[in-house]
Amino acid sequence: MLKTILAAGVAALLALPALAQPAPDTVAAIRARGSLICGVTPNSPGFGTPDSRGEWHGIDVDSCRAIAVAVLGDARKVRFVPASTAQRFTMLQSGEIDVLARVTTWSMAREGSLGLAFASINVFDGQGFLVKSDSGITSARQLDGATICLLPGTTNELNVADYFRTHNMRFTPVVMDSIEELRAAFLAGRCDSYSTDASALASYRASHGANATRFVVLPDIISKEPLGVAVRKGDWRFFDMARWAHFAMVTAEELGIDSRNIGSFANSTNPDIQRFLGRSGELGQGMGMSNDWAAQIVRQVGNFAEVWDRNMTPLGIQRGINALWTKGGLQYAPPLR
């Protein structure tokens, strides 16, 4: 018995160094490197896509730029890396990327078992269905027996299965690893509907330009899809910076501050504005940032309304539940104080 107890004690002591290993210091790595590495989708207008000059655009892209300002003081110091649906989580876990901003749903399983922490929600979304206009389908309840195009490794598969099971309906999944192949299959008639986040469907529909009227995004929303920015769990300093970078853009919109008028607030006597501009208090320093970090995010990236209008509004995606809480939406930032 004594030998067993001693052996157990030795084993416990040997395990202590592994348990005591420090969390990775992503902020130090980014600053030493001189750039933030951000995993994004390469083919979703509104969220992330490069133009003909290689310049990246999208709401996820701008989220990364805001984080770059918080960490490095410069929105230009970001390297965007295309991350596939299948590889995105591995890329973040392995340290190949610092942050994942890739139309990714915050879920319990992902945060609980993949070692991820979601710092913010930049788009409150829900899953929908896209059909061809000439199909005559106007509701998801008419899809009984349909074939549905789905990407593997997403929340979309389970959502569709749950929806059809709940309504005693049948469907046949058409699953492909590549979103390009999946969309091609939908266009070729290999599936009756293409299902993913409603905003992504609206983005895809809009990408057809004058032919967008050939497609209809059905009004049915079958899930909650809070899309946001994920980092590695345990690196809480970087998590805080990523979280508050988003809150800075939301707060700026609440205060009426944008990239064009921010200079006019310099002499404001409003204490909230003074703290936001870094003219009073030391909120930035307390988190390892400059005191004017929030003001710099607005100057270099914009407030949340500017980011939305630049990326989502041209696709016909309205603010809706992504409006500020003061306007009936869900975007809400804790106080900067």
Side-chain angles (χ1 to χ4, degrees):
M1 176 63 73
L2 180 59
K3 288 184 177 180
T4 302
I5 293 173
L6 289 172
V10 170
L13 288 171
L14 290 174
L16 284 177
L19 294 173
Q21 285 183 1
D25 191 343
T26 304
V27 172
I30 292 169
R31 288 175 174 167
R33 187 193 308 130
S35 64
L36 172 77
I37 304 176
C38 183
V40 293
T41 174
N43 47 19
S44 293
F47 288 92
T49 189
D51 61 21
S52 59
R53 298 175 300 172
E55 182 77 14
W56 285 85
H57 304 277
I59 195 167
D60 286 341
V61 168
D62 281 343
S63 291
C64 290
R65 290 192 172 115
I67 296 170
V69 175
V71 179
L72 296 167
D74 193 337
R76 298 168 298 178
K77 293 183 177 180
V78 188
R79 179 158 65 90
F80 296 104
V81 177
S84 70
T85 302
Q87 296 298 318
R88 54 184 165 165
F89 299 125
T90 302
M91 291 173 70
L92 182 58
Q93 291 164 334
S94 68
E96 184 177 347
I97 57 178
D98 300 313
V99 60
L100 178 67
R102 190 208 175 283
V103 200
T104 298
T105 298
W106 182 354
S107 73
M108 182 176 179
R110 289 173 174 175
E111 199 162 69
S113 62
L114 296 182
L116 311 183
F118 283 80
S120 65
I121 300 172
N122 58 8
V123 179
F124 289 93
D125 208 348
Q127 187 170 337
F129 297 91
L130 184 74
V131 297
K132 293 177 180 175
S133 302
D134 59 12
S135 68
I137 297 172
T138 58
S139 167
R141 296 296 292 273
Q142 296 174 264
L143 291 172
D144 190 16
T147 51
I148 311 292
C149 277
L150 296 161
L151 278 173
T154 67
T155 56
N156 302 148
E157 288 181 284
L158 180 60
N159 291 337
V160 169
D162 287 348
Y163 177 81
F164 277 78
R165 186 181 302 113
T166 298
H167 294 286
N168 296 314
M169 296 163 56
R170 298 172 298 103
F171 79 101
T172 301
V174 176
V175 180
M176 296 182 182
D177 290 328
S178 163
I179 193 169
E180 290 80 13
E181 291 178 343
L182 197 68
R183 289 170 174 173
F186 170 66
L187 293 177
R190 292 183 56 189
C191 45
D192 302 303
S193 176
Y194 166 33
S195 184
T196 189
D197 302 334
S199 59
L201 294 176
S203 166
Y204 174 61
R205 179 180 181 274
S207 71
H208 287 271
N211 292 319
T213 55
R214 293 174 48 204
F215 310 100
V216 174
V217 179
L218 299 180
D220 312 78
I221 299 298
I222 66 170
S223 71
K224 294 186 294 185
E225 303 295 330
L227 308 177
V229 170
V231 300
R232 287 179 291 278
K233 186 175 286 186
D235 194 348
W236 299 119
R237 183 165 71 134
F238 183 51
F239 172 88
D240 286 342
M241 289 183 179
R243 164 175 279 183
W244 284 94
H246 174 73
F247 286 153
M249 294 188 288
V250 174
T251 300
E253 184 181 357
E254 290 180 359
L255 295 173
I257 301 172
D258 61 37
S259 61
R260 298 176 299 275
N261 68 15
I262 189 169
S264 67
F265 288 87
N267 297 318
S268 171
T269 57
N270 183 323
D272 288 331
I273 292 176
Q274 287 295 304
R275 281 189 291 268
F276 185 88
L277 297 177
R279 292 176 176 271
S280 68
E282 296 184 348
L283 293 177
Q285 289 185 16
M287 203 173 281
M289 304 180 292
S290 66
N291 273 341
D292 67 342
W293 64 280
Q296 288 300 329
I297 286 174
V298 175
R299 287 192 176 96
Q300 298 183 43
V301 183
N303 69 18
F304 189 70
E306 290 179 284
V307 170
W308 187 278
D309 290 342
R310 180 163 60 238
N311 298 298
M312 310 300 278
T313 301
L315 301 175
I317 303 174
Q318 302 304 311
R319 287 287 293 268
I321 59 173
N322 287 285
L324 292 181
W325 65 282
T326 54
K327 297 181 179 178
L330 297 176
Q331 287 293 348
Y332 182 104
L336 271 71
R337 62 177 62 177

